[in-house]
Amino acid sequence: MIKGCLESFKEMYDEKGEKLITDSYVLGEGSYVLVDEHGEIVEILEVDKKNSDKTGRYYEFAEMDYLSKLVSMDKPVDQKKVIHSNNFLSFFVKKENISNGKLTDDIIENYYKNLSDPRIKYKDKEKKRMYELLEEKYGKSDIDSIEKQKAWIKSNIFSILNKLKNNKSYLKVFLKANIEEYKKESEKYVVPNIYNNTQFNVKTEKSTYGLPNDNMGLNQKKPYLDNKTRKNSTPYLVSLEEVILQKKFFDYLYNNVCESKTNIYISDGYIKCLSNDENLDDKFSGYFLRVKKGKEVEIHDFDIIVGLDNKLKGLFIDTIILIDYTKFKGLLSDNYGEIKDISTLKMLISDIYFNKFLTNNYFSDPKDIKLNDFRVKENLIKSRGAFFNWFYKGDTIVIKQIFDKTSMELIKNAICNEYMIKAKEQFNLRCGILDYLIGGEKMADILNGLASSLREKINNKQTDKIESDNEYYFAVGQISSYLLSKSKSSKKVHSLINPLLNCKTDEKLKLQLQMLFKKYNYDIQKESKRFNNFSAMVLGYQTESKVDDNMLVAGYLYSSLIYESKKEGEVKDGE
């Protein structure tokens, strides 16, 4: 998997070089100080969350910072782990470690001693061998320059804080030098430390092979990662050339993760890193990686995608349930008609069903999702994986299985919480999505047919009969809505329909209807023909099927057939 990704990354790296990484590099919070060869401070760059303006010397600092980073905190030059840079041209330390006394002259002395002769630090023979190869290639580090830098640091590092922002971020000092010098000094540190552990290294005539450090840990505490059936039990080994490329690839990913670009699409010579708010514009086939920022870049999901197309064809949102938008600006009001791309649909689903919490919480720990509505949070957690696979991979297998139930639970929840406009919008959106995902007869046609049939029956002089389960449950919803509308409370309490929505059998459903009737019959005229016909037909119909909450809710949300006028200006039935 990684090998295939590296092939595409190598094409891009061969074309752009180190700028592929440094142009997207994000400086961490801290004070960046540039010192010239005379010991004069040339510039101070302050970077924080509010000020990350990438102008001026930002990219110069970014390049020097990238080349001066430790491979990991487990592989420091300073064995006390107080100084976090990797070469004599730079000096990284937390400001608080200056003020609290953790940074001492002895630690500074040992840091530069290790840089003057890394053999002192590298007790491991393989690391020492790898360093010596770099020393043969580039020569020893200049001792005079190291001593000069050490003297400057000792003289200035404890007083320089007075010129900087007072916070707990880093202080990073850089010597103004040719960037090629930074590259040489960086490589002298990186190469001996690039493998997970040199005890796994295997040398050949042409190269060194070892276990990569990225997304892999192998030690005595993790014996289950060993491949016990092989002579060499290490999971996999890569050459020095490949492991350096792999490090650069993970550095590139890390830069993008720092800017919340965690969805990675990789094809031939092409890598696109996108945030959850973004989607690809063109069709795509290739590798997909979902990454996360930890101590390093962590790959949490990997997949192979074929024929991903974020353009939608045939998804229409209709006003199946009429909504009066004259007094209320709904979330769906401007989006009826054809939905042409997944980005718009993703936004609508997050806003209308999940209170805008879906987009940023596909992988959040449940305790970190600050949603006050338990029912919405519960459904978000249960369905977010299926939505993610649909929105970012084009995989609809799971969402087809769960969307019907998930969306209906959320509609019921909206009704019980008195969010009637929201419930109607959720229903309209639900119908459009189900028509697109599942197909079959359109809900708009079904409901219009039911409404037309029942309208005729409740206006007959003689009581007619219900002819199907769909018609029955739609009628139950209509009667429930009518009865609750008779409440004399200043606020119509739609949560009273909750017992009906929770019924699993027709017997219990009829019992709940009778309870509603007893509660509100004081305001229903005996000669109300429409209500009488509705009631008689519902009570006279028997069904053995499981309660169809889909049709019941549709009938409840649909405009009342009892209240509607036959022609404009006519008094409504029962008034």
Side-chain angles (χ1 to χ4, degrees), residues 3 32 221 291 336 398:
K3 193 174 184 65
Y32 295 76
K221 295 179 181 179
V291 295
Y336 286 102
V398 180

Side-chain angles (χ1 to χ4, degrees), residues 168-182:
K168 293 186 177 181
S169 63
Y170 270 94
L171 163 59
K172 298 187 176 184
V173 180
F174 300 92
L175 177 64
K176 190 173 177 58
N178 189 297
I179 201 64
E180 293 303 317
E181 291 301 310
Y182 272 91

